[in-house]
Amino acid sequence: MKRKLIAAIGVAGMLFSVAACGGDDGDDGKKAGADGYAGETLTVWVMDGSSPDQWQKDLATEFEKKTKAKVKFEVQQWNGIQQKLTTALSEENPPDVFEIGNTQTPAYAKTGGLAELADLKAEIGGEWTDSLNESSVVDGKQYAAPWYFATRVVLYNKKVWADAGLKDTPKTRDEFYDALKTIGDKTDAEPIYLPGQNWYHFVGLVIGEGGELVKKDGDKYVSNLDDPKVAAAAETYKKFQALSKAPKDKDEATPQQGEVFAKGKTGAFIGMGWEAGIAIKANPDIEKEIGYFTIPGATADKPEGVFLGGSNLAVAAGSKKQDLAKEFLKLTLSDKFEGQLAKLNGVIPNKESLQSNLEGNAPAEAAAPAAAVGGTTPLIPEWAAVENAPNPIKTYLTAVLNGKSPAEAAKQVEGEFNKRLAQQQ
């Protein structure tokens, strides 16, 4: 599925977004000799916006110096990429290395399109953050490598908070709620803009509760929305949404919540850091008032669960240059180039020790602490159909917000949810 990620945009170090894939022109699979891989060219697909030109140039130069081989980056567009990649992986000369959305990885691994990378993980992946590497592991085998990630944060209006007498940002979920209540009591601003179907935030709350959206029933997956942990997440969502005037049957893009925030009458909203750019475009004066903080969790020592959008790097199972591809990944995922990408694009790197590269980028600094406790939608091929409109999780949320109990709402969408999980992939 498409995933908007972060790419730095000019104003105030805001963030924009993407994720990516790979390409190749086959060879005879020979190993490096005394002259390295001289004469060979490795083709790498990356998605538009995911890797800056300077980063590509620096990496290509060092790769050639190290291996004597060249690298050819081919930039891809998200529109139609899944079909394009599926076709390419089935051909004789598939892409050698490609960027792939983290939630897409299991589906491609299950179809045999990805090479196993256990040796790469053993050599360079000892410090990869577990939550970020989770989507690269399918059935206990390493099929990709974690590259870069993004999470949601709280974007708040400093003036509104000051008008309410709030001096500090909250560190716990209760403190966050109390701060928003204070805004409602002491100002004429809407405390938080939280539309009823901001379902990726809901996924984060489920992750924070330790819940799962699906469960195994024999040899198939079925809805787990009736689980008490999912219900607890829904109740938290409902509690905060009650402080908002946002519609209960719309998501964060209808209208764009950044445009609502731009009017200066909203205390906070939960979104991607790059959404600040939407607010600034609508009202340049709002830029100086925008602040960011990590979504607070139940206790001060652990942030709220968040959905981790991101990209992995994979090697095509049909590539004839797998040894060279792994040399490329070793360099790409090194501290030097992983850190450089984090600094240039404001994205969360694959190990916590590299988060220092985010210093000075306020949205990225706010996002990073939650990476270790984040997660994704279920990492199963069957999940893709669930997100098609009308998304049953959105329907579930709206039902809860309109007065149904979480159990009743879960029952309402269970049939459609299970029907989608049963669709052939």
Side-chain angles (χ1 to χ4, degrees):
M1 72 190 78
K2 295 182 198 173
R3 258 324 144 246
K4 280 193 170 181
L5 289 191
I6 311 179
I9 65 175
V11 77
M14 296 302 109
L15 305 165
F16 202 30
S17 73
V18 257
C21 302
D24 185 334
D25 49 45
D27 78 345
D28 58 7
K30 60 180 178 288
K31 303 265 184 182
D35 58 350
Y37 296 88
E40 296 192 38
T41 298
L42 194 77
T43 306
V44 177
W45 287 5
V46 290
M47 298 307 293
D48 184 26
S50 68
S51 54
D53 290 345
Q54 188 61 52
W55 182 89
Q56 290 186 18
K57 181 180 178 181
D58 292 346
L59 179 57
T61 298
E62 192 151 333
F63 179 70
E64 183 170 359
K65 180 179 178 181
K66 178 182 178 183
T67 66
K68 306 295 193 300
K70 296 184 181 298
V71 59
K72 179 174 66 174
F73 289 100
E74 293 185 352
V75 177
Q76 307 295 322
Q77 302 298 319
W78 268 117
N79 188 27
I81 187 57
Q82 290 197 57
Q83 184 57 50
K84 183 175 182 179
L85 180 57
T86 298
T87 300
L89 291 178
S90 68
E91 294 177 340
E92 184 178 352
N93 293 315
D96 297 306
V97 177
F98 53 95
E99 182 184 353
I100 186 172
N102 59 339
T103 57
Q104 296 173 333
T105 305
Y108 285 105
K110 293 267 189 185
T111 60
L114 311 185
E116 287 189 44
L117 299 177
D119 52 348
L120 185 78
K121 171 65 166 66
E123 184 173 350
I124 67 169
E127 294 182 27
W128 290 345
T129 303
D130 289 341
S131 60
L132 303 183
N133 188 49
E134 185 179 1
S135 64
S136 292
V137 179
V138 181
D139 295 334
K141 297 179 180 179
Q142 190 83 32
Y143 281 105
W147 192 21
Y148 68 90
F149 302 85
T151 74
R152 281 160 179 78
V153 299
V154 180
L155 296 89
Y156 73 104
N157 186 314
K158 296 176 183 178
K159 183 179 185 304
V160 170
W161 284 54
D163 289 346
L166 298 168
K167 294 181 172 59
D168 300 313
T169 55
K171 300 298 185 290
T172 68
R173 189 187 296 159
D174 287 344
E175 289 178 5
F176 185 23
Y177 182 80
D178 290 344
L180 297 176
K181 279 278 292 175
T182 299
I183 291 171
D185 293 341
K186 295 188 177 182
T187 76
D188 60 356
E190 179 180 18
I192 185 171
Y193 185 82
L194 182 59
Q197 297 184 346
N198 188 342
W199 78 282
Y200 277 118
H201 175 51
F202 171 67
V203 169
L205 295 176
V206 173
I207 292 166
E209 293 288 346
E212 299 284 351
L213 295 172
V214 300
K215 62 185 176 184
K216 207 70 181 289
D217 180 17
D219 61 352
K220 63 183 179 180
Y221 288 97
V222 297
S223 170
N224 195 42
L225 292 181
D226 61 355
D227 185 87
K229 293 178 180 178
V230 177
E235 293 291 1
T236 296
Y237 195 103
K238 183 177 181 178
K239 178 179 178 180
F240 279 83
Q241 207 279 331
L243 299 175
S244 176
K245 299 174 184 176
K248 294 178 172 61
D249 60 350
K250 297 288 189 277
D251 64 20
E252 67 276 15
T254 316
Q256 286 287 347
Q257 56 187 2
E259 294 178 352
V260 176
F261 185 79
K263 297 174 183 177
K265 288 295 185 179
T266 302
F269 73 95
I270 293 170
M272 305 298 284
W274 56 261
E275 291 182 74
I278 295 174
I280 294 166
K281 182 178 180 180
N283 175 17
D285 291 339
I286 200 75
E287 180 179 357
K288 64 181 181 299
E289 305 298 348
I290 301 176
Y292 310 84
F293 58 87
T294 308
I295 305 172
T299 58
D301 62 337
K302 184 179 179 181
E304 186 59 84
V306 290
F307 173 80
L308 291 169
S311 278
N312 299 325
L313 289 172
V315 175
S319 169
K320 299 171 185 175
K321 301 176 182 175
Q322 291 192 17
D323 289 328
L324 184 58
K326 290 175 183 178
E327 291 303 317
F328 175 81
L329 289 182
K330 290 175 190 177
L331 199 57
T332 303
L333 300 169
S334 67
D335 287 1
K336 176 179 179 178
F337 286 102
E338 183 78 2
Q340 183 185 12
L341 186 70
K343 185 182 292 288
L344 291 173
N345 271 14
V347 290
I348 299 169
N350 62 17
K351 57 174 82 169
E352 290 185 46
S353 61
L354 297 177
Q355 289 182 6
S356 58
N357 289 281
L358 302 176
E359 287 182 16
N361 187 324
E365 286 187 287
V373 296
T376 67
T377 49
L379 294 169
I380 55 175
E382 295 88 345
W383 179 259
V386 175
E387 294 193 22
N388 293 333
N391 184 329
I393 298 181
K394 290 185 174 183
T395 305
Y396 165 85
L397 283 172
T398 296
V400 170
L401 297 176
N402 282 331
K404 288 196 173 183
S405 70
E408 291 171 331
K411 192 68 176 175
Q412 176 183 326
V413 303
E414 183 180 77
E416 179 63 22
F417 201 118
N418 291 343
K419 177 183 175 182
R420 296 183 183 208
L421 287 170
Q423 290 180 14
Q424 294 297 314
Q425 302 303 308

